[in-house]
Amino acid sequence: LIGDMLDFSKDQELNLETFDIVSFLHEITDSFKTNKNITEKKAVIKFKFDRGNYKIEADKEKLRRVFNNLVNNACDALKEKGQIEISLSKRNGIIAIKVKDNGEGIPESRRDEIFEPFVTSKKNGTGLGLSIVQRIVSSHKGKIFVASGENEGTEFTVELPEKGGNDG
């Protein structure tokens, strides 16, 4: 909780480096294959992307936090034999990464508040995860969108510029 509060309250200084986001996302998905929510629910994580060059200039560790959070939330939402799909596309210098699950979805009454600090539906959650995610994405001059329907799952889309972050 203290770490989350400190991360939420401080400015997002970025340590930019150029890296291949496909390999980066494979690392993240591989790390979740032994996640308790995946193994116990007999769920699967699928990864798909269009062919192409997916180099990005960004803060790798901050983006790791973003996608670990989104995939972890998707894992928590899954039902038996659920599925998480991570997809990647690029258009006009913008890389779009989607994290989609077929879990329980976000109730319509809560969708407008999911990026607000201290809002959580998790028993042991701090309510800062998605707030921090949004701040990190914004600090990279990116955008985050959510689409969800009750019992239809949730899809988060993170759009990031290939170059830049901070002042891009």
Side-chain angles (χ1 to χ4, degrees):
L1 176 61
I2 292 170
D4 281 349
M5 288 184 72
L6 288 171
D7 284 343
F8 179 74
S9 65
K10 66 183 176 185
D11 286 334
Q12 295 291 324
E13 264 188 58
L14 301 179
N15 181 20
L16 299 177
E17 60 182 292
T18 301
F19 59 95
D20 178 57
I21 195 128
V22 173
S23 299
F24 171 77
L25 290 170
H26 273 297
E27 286 175 28
I28 289 172
T29 56
D30 287 347
S31 72
F32 275 91
K33 288 184 179 171
T34 57
N35 179 291
K36 183 174 143 183
N37 281 326
I38 295 292
T39 57
E40 285 183 359
K41 296 175 183 177
K42 298 178 181 76
V44 296
I45 299 178
K46 293 183 177 183
F47 185 59
K48 66 181 191 176
F49 58 96
D50 301 331
R51 296 209 184 279
N53 177 7
Y54 287 97
K55 298 281 185 199
I56 189 167
E57 184 180 56
D59 186 315
K60 194 174 194 176
E61 292 313 307
K62 288 203 176 9
L63 288 188
R64 185 177 311 280
R65 178 132 190 211
V66 166
F67 293 106
N68 276 334
N69 184 289
L70 294 177
V71 173
N72 191 57
N73 286 352
C75 287
D76 289 346
L78 291 178
K79 299 175 184 170
E80 184 78 18
K81 296 187 180 176
Q83 179 176 299
I84 298 170
E85 182 177 289
I86 299 172
S87 60
L88 184 63
S89 62
K90 181 171 73 170
R91 185 177 176 152
N92 299 328
I94 301 293
I95 295 176
I97 304 106
K98 294 183 179 192
V99 178
K100 181 179 182 178
D101 68 66
N102 64 350
E104 59 195 42
I106 301 168
E108 187 175 349
S109 62
R110 307 217 53 217
R111 283 184 215 140
D112 289 339
E113 63 187 20
I114 63 168
F115 293 111
E116 297 293 322
F118 306 110
V119 172
T120 185
S121 60
K122 293 182 180 182
K123 187 172 141 183
N124 295 320
T126 64
L128 289 172
L130 288 175
S131 298
I132 293 169
V133 162
Q134 185 180 47
R135 287 193 66 187
I136 292 171
V137 170
S138 293
S139 72
H140 281 84
K141 302 295 185 214
K143 297 176 184 172
I144 185 167
F145 306 95
V146 63
S148 186
E150 286 187 68
N151 298 311
E152 294 176 13
T154 301
E155 178 179 85
F156 282 91
T157 302
V158 175
E159 293 182 348
L160 298 167
E162 283 181 283
K163 294 240 181 250
N166 284 339
D167 296 319

